[in-house]
């Protein structure tokens, strides 16, 4: 997301924020990264739900109706058929040290970006996962929401630079599989779709929420549970997903541990959800 | 720290930063808050050491000599005898998502503030500690350094609003005593000065570092270890400290748990270090 295509602060065009904003001082805020298709934000209802959860969790007040209006107006300005919109909501300026008392009003930033130039093969042929050594800390008060404290993800993503790996798998302090650095993980064991429980750490992605919601509706509910590496190694399919990239099949992770040294296939379940997402996200 | 008295971005007067700065996007940076006495930053060598540790830990490149020069220049501009300078160093703009590859140069912000109007009684008569229920997560990769991911502190500080409590005590996920929301904790047990080990969470304050350094030099080394609530309750003195406020004696914490319901006295050790700090910090 190198070149920014436009930016609005509280609905007005703007490229800068005040140095005293608590988003900068403490990461005191939240963000959403959306796929923009034909000038509309995809899966907006799920982004809005997660944002609302985050605002409630951090006790940040703002007008969600204004934000919704600004997002749709901004996406209308996107110059391409496919793109990305990034929304940041911070507690605003002020307060006294860490105390939010007297802070605000909230800062609402919306930025437009071109659609990222991910290799097309990530979708069609799948990816290899880098084994990140950075472990996510257990913090139930912040788990699930997409807040601005993202140093763990920066550290994990910093661990590899080669194009060989499309994503990196991140475990928690207990060694459970949580997510990839910018996407959620699903696996198929005995024809059952499984995704890690995120009540102690990790981000509840909107694409993950979409799959959970749709799978429920279609009578094949996803199991949300603690996922061990042993479960991953016995899975018959693995994929990662987020609302911008869609679904990338995972072909390999630490191949030396594999049963019979085989790569994962791009199985039926992965293809089914890839297709379903394309229908919805474009 | 309500009214800002001046701000510089990379040495130039400035009140704004670019919306794409990774300090805002991910809290990808560090900060230092210094007491300014007679236009000089107090304990600069300790702030500089912690900043250098943090930069190395996050692998952020910048010119520390420039920063040092800008800090001393900025402090020269402080209009009062006593004040505060806040330094923020972020990884700068750019990178691709969480990956820092191609980001930078670093952003260096320096802000001047008036000295906070803490009640004088906090120093002379001591404070009551609020029992925060927010627990710090164990993250050894980020423990000790003063990074910009401070939501845990915001959540903890949000737990009380009354002036009755001068600070709040924060435990970790294991129930150990770690620190207060904006200061470090020391206790005296059997005439031995003790402070919590911060290798899993917490911030290694410069005032804490100063006391550890000076105590070592004076032949009465501080014990750094896991501190339980039971130890706290049997301590004969307790105090909190940071480089701006100095030392505040702690008089009470959950008094109902107290042996004989007595408040802690302001003991000899607390007074000794208060005096020593006043000599150094002013």
């Amino acid at each position: 997301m190198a070149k920014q295509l436009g930016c609005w602060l509280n609905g007005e065009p703007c490229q800068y924020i005040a140095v005293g904003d608590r988003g900068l001082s403490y990461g005191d805020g939240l963000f959403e990264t959306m796929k923009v298709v034909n000038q509309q934000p995809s899966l907006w209802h799920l982004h809005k739900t997660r944002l609302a959860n985050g605002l409630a969790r951090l006790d940040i007040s703002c007008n969600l109706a204004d934000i919704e209006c600004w997002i749709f107006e901004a996406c209308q300005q996107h110059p391409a058929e496919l793109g990305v919109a990034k929304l940041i909501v911070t507690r605003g300026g002020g307060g006294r040290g860490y105390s939010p008392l007297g802070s605000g009003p909230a800062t609402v930033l919306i930025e437009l970006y071109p659609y990222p130039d991910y290799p097309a093969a990530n979708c069609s042929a799948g990816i290899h996962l880098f084994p990140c050594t950075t472990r996510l800390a257990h913090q139930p008060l912040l788990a699930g929401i997409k807040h601005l404290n993202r140093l763990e993800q920066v550290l994990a993503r910093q661990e590899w630079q080669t194009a060989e790996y499309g994503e990196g798998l991140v475990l928690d302090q207990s060694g459970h599989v949580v997510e990839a650095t910018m996407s959620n993980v699903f696996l198929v064991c005995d024809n059952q779709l499984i995704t890690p429980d995120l009540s102690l750490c990790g981000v509840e992605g909107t694409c993950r929420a979409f799959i959970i919601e749709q799978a429920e509706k279609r009578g094949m509910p996803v199991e949300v549970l603690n996922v061990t590496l042993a479960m991953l190694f016995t899975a018959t399919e693995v994929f990662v997903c987020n609302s911008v990239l869609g679904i990338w099949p995972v072909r390999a992770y630490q191949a030396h541990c594999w049963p019979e040294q085989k790569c994962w296939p791009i199985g039926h379940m992965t293809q089914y959800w890839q297709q379903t997402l394309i229908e919805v996200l474009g």
Side-chain angles (χ1 to χ4, degrees), chain A:
Chain A
M1 296 202 286
K3 197 170 161 267
Q4 190 227 70
L5 302 170
C7 181
W8 293 263
L9 174 64
N10 302 326
E12 301 294 326
C14 183
Q15 293 291 334
Y16 298 93
I17 67 154
V19 293
D21 195 280
R22 294 174 63 94
L24 175 66
S25 307
Y26 308 129
D28 193 3
L30 302 148
F31 71 113
E32 295 291 333
T33 310
M34 284 155 276
K35 188 171 180 180
V36 183
V37 183
N38 294 321
Q39 287 70 45
Q40 298 289 321
S42 289
L43 297 180
W44 169 247
H45 70 291
L46 294 172
H47 287 287
K48 187 178 163 185
T49 302
R50 180 174 61 183
L51 178 64
N53 285 343
L55 291 167
R57 199 91 76 83
L58 301 184
D59 197 20
I60 293 178
S61 302
C62 65
N63 189 329
L64 262 179
D66 278 353
I67 294 177
E68 185 159 39
C69 179
W70 292 333
I71 275 287
F72 278 83
E73 279 176 11
C75 289
Q76 285 289 326
Q77 311 292 314
H78 204 292
E81 230 174 90
L82 274 190
V84 168
K86 181 168 180 176
L87 165 67
I88 297 179
V89 182
T90 82
R91 203 186 299 272
R96 180 179 185 85
Y98 294 127
S99 171
L101 208 68
S103 63
T107 298
V108 180
L109 269 176
I110 298 169
E111 296 169 85
L112 297 182
Y113 288 98
Y115 191 76
D117 55 350
Y118 298 128
N122 286 6
C123 236
S124 55
I127 60 163
H128 289 210
L129 283 184
F130 181 83
C132 296
T133 59
T134 301
R135 297 277 176 275
L136 300 179
H138 289 173
Q139 181 46 278
L141 299 176
L142 297 173
I145 63 175
K146 197 150 182 175
H147 55 70
L148 293 172
N149 280 198
R150 291 290 154 215
L151 274 174
E152 290 184 326
Q153 281 70 32
V154 172
L155 290 177
R157 185 58 191 83
Q158 217 170 17
E159 291 189 45
W160 85 95
Q161 263 100 46
T162 62
E164 185 188 345
Y165 300 100
E167 250 285 34
L169 190 71
V170 190
L171 315 181
D172 69 6
Q173 304 280 6
S174 315
H176 286 116
V177 172
V178 180
E179 60 191 8
T181 65
M182 61 166 180
S183 54
N184 289 113
V185 175
F186 282 81
L187 45 156
V188 179
C189 294
D190 297 328
N191 289 311
Q192 170 65 52
L193 195 56
I194 292 168
T195 195
D197 177 82
L198 303 178
S199 50
L200 292 179
C201 52
V203 177
E204 289 177 6
T206 51
C207 189
R208 173 181 181 273
F210 171 79
I211 293 172
I212 291 174
E213 178 188 275
Q214 288 295 316
E216 177 80 32
K217 277 189 190 162
R218 294 164 196 221
M220 43 179 185
V222 176
E223 270 202 71
V224 179
L225 40 78
N226 284 334
V227 170
T228 60
L229 278 175
M231 287 168 70
L232 186 76
F233 291 139
T234 58
T236 52
E237 299 177 43
V238 181
F239 64 84
V240 298
C241 65
N242 81 26
S243 61
V244 173
L245 63 83
I247 285 175
W248 290 346
V250 173
R251 309 304 302 277
Y253 172 77
Q254 296 191 308
H256 60 280
C257 301
W258 236 246
E260 302 170 48
Q261 311 286 325
K262 280 180 189 163
C263 275
W264 281 296
I266 304 181
H268 293 300
M269 197 78 99
T270 305
Q271 289 175 52
Y272 174 81
W273 287 107
Q274 271 191 322
Q275 194 48 45
T276 306
L277 258 177
I278 287 165
E279 284 159 20
V280 173
L281 287 183

